[in-house]
Amino acid sequence: MSIVEVKIELSKLGQAHLVSQLEKLQGSEYQDLESDILHLDLNLISELLAQVESNSSLNNSGEDLKSDSIRDEVAPHPFNSQAEQSSQSHAKWSELGQEALSEGKVGALLVAGGQGSRLGFDGPKGAYRFDLDSGASLFQLHAQRILNLGQRLGKELPWAIMTSPQNHDETIEHFEQHDYFGLSSDQIVFFQQGVLPAISQDGKIILASASRIQTAPDGNGGCFKAFHQSEVFHQWQKLGIEHLYIFSVDNCLVRPLDPRFIGFYLDNKKSSASTVVKKAYPAERVGIFALKNQLPTVIEYSELNDEQINATNSQGDLLYDGGNMAIHLIDMKILQEAATAPLAYHQAHKKISFWNGSELVHPSEPNAIKFEQFMFDIFPRCQSMALLEVERTEHFAPIKNAEGNDSPQSAKFLLLNLHKKWLAKALNINESNLDGQYEISPLLSYQGENLPSTLDEVKTTPLIFRS
């Protein structure tokens, strides 16, 4: 469509203020706003504006609420607990997973669009360093685990990293400055998460300046749409990749492309799988895997009533106890379907800066609506799902808050404790007899293997840092 045609359509959609603002501008400012306007998906904008007008999925507190949720039938989703697992099953799954990786059937997707602002860090969250003796960033930990695994298998493992417009260039620069942490630049592909215009409560697209539209990321579920639009999906299909291993940037203990988890997924012959951890306590604020209308999904803690939160089985175990770690495996065939039938958009009231005609205003209260897609909305389309319980202290140490739980301090504590546990096992001694703290480079060990058997070796191994 030409700019003239787009102006007409914008006016029909009640966005004449954008047309009026464009006509006031000249030179580069005109070009900037014209570019933003021409990049608008008018069909999608029309749908989102209709959603705002009907306000059907927004409750009084500004939280997303599906209108038919009161009629939903919710039940716990069973998972393969640690008590049900054996060393034989672990060995079988690891062999299946390694075989799939060696054959190039699995690719990794890292969701890394976030900034480190909540941590007081000005840059991509993946570039954040949390006071390890090695000085490793989150990106470095993930990259070197993939490198270690690939070297063991004799295979360059494919890795896609979803950034955001805010951090795309900085993320690539971080990898370039560190020579891709030993990986080949050919095995990594970067693509950007989508954004959508922010909309005022009276249905007007907001400006960020005289010549720019204010936008916001389209949610973690937007990774599937961006994955397609970037052409990575089609490139990987041609390479024979059949399964996508998804993980988030902030978990410092995640094992990317974990062969055991991949083997579990393949052995169960489901179109999707996720790892879960048991809740630390019944009311822990964590998303829980459940069956909604007999289909797999994740429900937020706020969707469960007190009876469900505290419900137990005959053994006294919580019924709703499969905590979401944001580690998933999905058949690429499901992602192909997602390209033609996009996930739903959810509304959220947020404080969003806006240009008032003379300056940028930073509101103190929620003033606008942003639209997001949620990753777990794809799970019902999978029809069935396999869930594997893992030990929280070995697999889950997210960095989300500046202090307290899920902070850099708690993540470092969990990582160093795990590495000390690995070393004590390799040395065949009690952890209490191992003085100090130890950090083990992912280049040396992926999950506790390949470690020294004597204290003298520990002291002289350059990939073990002691403090």
Side-chain angles (χ1 to χ4, degrees):
M1 295 175 68
S2 68
I3 187 61
V4 174
E5 294 171 313
V6 172
K7 285 180 181 180
I8 294 172
E9 292 302 314
L10 282 174
S11 295
K12 289 179 181 178
L13 292 173
Q15 308 301 313
H17 65 292
L18 293 182
V19 178
S20 175
Q21 179 62 24
L22 181 63
E23 292 172 348
K24 296 177 184 177
L25 302 178
Q26 294 180 344
S28 61
E29 285 192 323
Y30 180 93
Q31 293 172 359
D32 287 343
L33 186 55
E34 180 186 51
S35 176
D36 282 0
I37 288 173
L38 288 173
H39 279 90
L40 292 174
D41 182 339
L42 294 182
N43 290 329
L44 178 56
I45 296 299
S46 177
E47 294 175 12
L48 299 180
L49 289 172
Q51 187 175 324
V52 172
E53 185 176 354
S54 65
N55 214 27
S56 61
S57 65
L58 206 64
N59 68 10
N60 291 332
S61 62
E63 297 174 343
D64 185 79
L65 185 65
K66 295 183 179 178
S67 58
D68 62 349
S69 61
I70 195 169
R71 297 190 298 273
D72 286 334
E73 177 189 338
V74 177
H77 196 304
F79 56 85
N80 190 300
S81 69
Q82 291 187 72
E84 299 173 280
Q85 300 165 29
S86 65
S87 57
Q88 290 82 4
S89 61
H90 284 179
K92 175 186 177 182
W93 294 337
S94 294
E95 184 177 347
L96 282 172
Q98 289 174 24
E99 182 180 344
L101 288 168
S102 296
E103 293 174 353
K105 292 182 177 179
V106 188
L109 170 58
L110 174 64
V111 178
Q115 292 291 95
S117 51
R118 289 179 63 182
L119 306 172
F121 174 67
D122 184 20
K125 182 180 282 190
Y128 181 69
R129 295 175 172 84
F130 54 109
D131 196 30
L132 296 177
D133 287 335
S134 66
S137 66
L138 287 164
F139 280 141
Q140 180 173 335
L141 294 177
H142 303 326
Q144 291 183 339
R145 286 176 187 140
I146 290 174
L147 176 60
N148 182 325
L149 187 58
Q151 288 175 335
R152 283 167 44 195
L153 297 172
K155 178 80 174 180
E156 286 192 351
L157 303 174
W159 187 16
I161 300 176
M162 187 183 77
T163 65
S164 66
Q166 286 180 302
N167 70 18
H168 183 74
D169 292 340
E170 286 183 278
T171 297
I172 294 175
E173 183 180 354
H174 184 77
F175 276 80
E176 289 176 342
Q177 287 177 344
H178 294 87
D179 199 23
Y180 297 89
F181 303 105
L183 294 168
S184 163
S185 60
D186 294 335
Q187 72 186 100
I188 307 177
V189 59
F190 301 90
F191 67 97
Q192 292 190 50
Q193 178 178 16
V195 295
L196 290 169
I199 296 176
S200 67
Q201 297 180 54
D202 60 353
K204 305 297 182 185
I205 292 175
I206 293 172
L207 289 169
S209 70
S211 59
R212 285 295 185 188
I213 288 174
Q214 182 66 282
T215 61
D218 60 3
N220 55 28
C223 69
F224 303 122
K225 181 179 178 181
F227 189 53
H228 276 276
Q229 291 180 337
S230 68
E231 294 300 316
V232 181
F233 175 83
H234 299 293
Q235 292 168 10
W236 279 16
Q237 270 193 323
K238 291 177 182 177
L239 291 173
I241 295 174
E242 300 175 1
H243 314 285
L244 192 66
Y245 192 113
I246 306 170
F247 63 107
S248 297
V249 73
D250 57 14
N251 182 2
C252 77
L253 291 185
V254 66
R255 297 176 187 173
L257 297 172
D258 182 1
R260 183 185 297 174
F261 176 42
I262 293 171
F264 166 80
Y265 157 74
L266 295 172
D267 192 37
N268 277 271
K269 296 179 172 61
K270 307 289 187 184
S271 55
S272 63
S274 296
T275 57
V276 301
V277 290
K278 288 186 175 180
K279 290 192 287 187
Y281 50 92
E284 184 180 7
R285 296 161 69 94
V286 61
I288 298 295
F289 281 94
L291 293 168
K292 184 176 286 188
N293 300 325
Q294 301 183 343
L295 294 174
T297 190
V298 172
I299 56 177
E300 298 297 342
Y301 61 89
S302 56
E303 294 183 68
L304 296 174
N305 57 40
D306 288 343
E307 182 180 350
Q308 291 170 319
I309 288 172
N310 294 291
T312 59
N313 60 21
S314 57
Q315 288 78 43
D317 299 321
L318 291 173
L319 289 178
Y320 292 91
D321 200 23
N324 178 24
M325 300 169 60
I327 301 173
H328 315 295
L329 272 159
I330 297 181
D331 192 311
M332 291 276 278
K333 294 176 183 176
I334 300 296
L335 300 185
Q336 176 67 61
E337 297 169 8
T340 56
L343 301 181
Y345 285 94
H346 301 262
Q347 300 179 48
H349 274 163
K350 298 289 183 180
K351 293 184 289 185
I352 298 178
S353 301
F354 64 95
W355 188 72
N356 67 358
S358 58
E359 62 180 355
L360 188 65
V361 178
H362 303 284
S364 58
E365 299 292 334
N367 66 305
I369 298 166
K370 65 175 291 189
F371 293 89
E372 300 175 305
Q373 291 179 317
F374 297 158
M375 186 179 293
F376 54 69
D377 277 345
I378 203 169
F379 297 149
R381 301 185 183 191
C382 298
Q383 297 295 311
S384 62
M385 184 174 237
L387 300 179
L388 178 69
E389 184 198 355
V390 296
E391 176 59 48
R392 181 189 289 249
T393 57
E394 297 182 8
H395 293 264
F396 194 48
I399 299 176
K400 296 181 181 293
N401 308 313
E403 54 186 28
N405 293 331
D406 297 340
S407 66
Q409 293 76 23
S410 65
K412 179 181 177 181
F413 174 82
L414 288 167
L415 184 141
L416 296 182
N417 271 16
L418 176 61
H419 289 185
K420 192 170 187 176
K421 177 181 175 181
W422 286 355
L423 273 178
K425 183 178 180 181
L427 296 170
N428 196 28
I429 62 174
N430 192 291
E431 288 178 54
S432 61
N433 295 328
L434 196 57
D435 294 332
Q437 293 180 316
Y438 297 84
E439 179 195 347
I440 300 169
S441 167
L443 296 175
L444 178 64
S445 183
Y446 178 85
Q447 56 184 10
E449 78 292 346
N450 194 40
L451 296 178
S453 57
T454 68
L455 277 172
D456 286 340
E457 288 180 281
V458 170
K459 294 175 183 177
T460 57
T461 299
L463 294 176
I464 296 178
F465 305 89
R466 181 180 177 184
S467 57

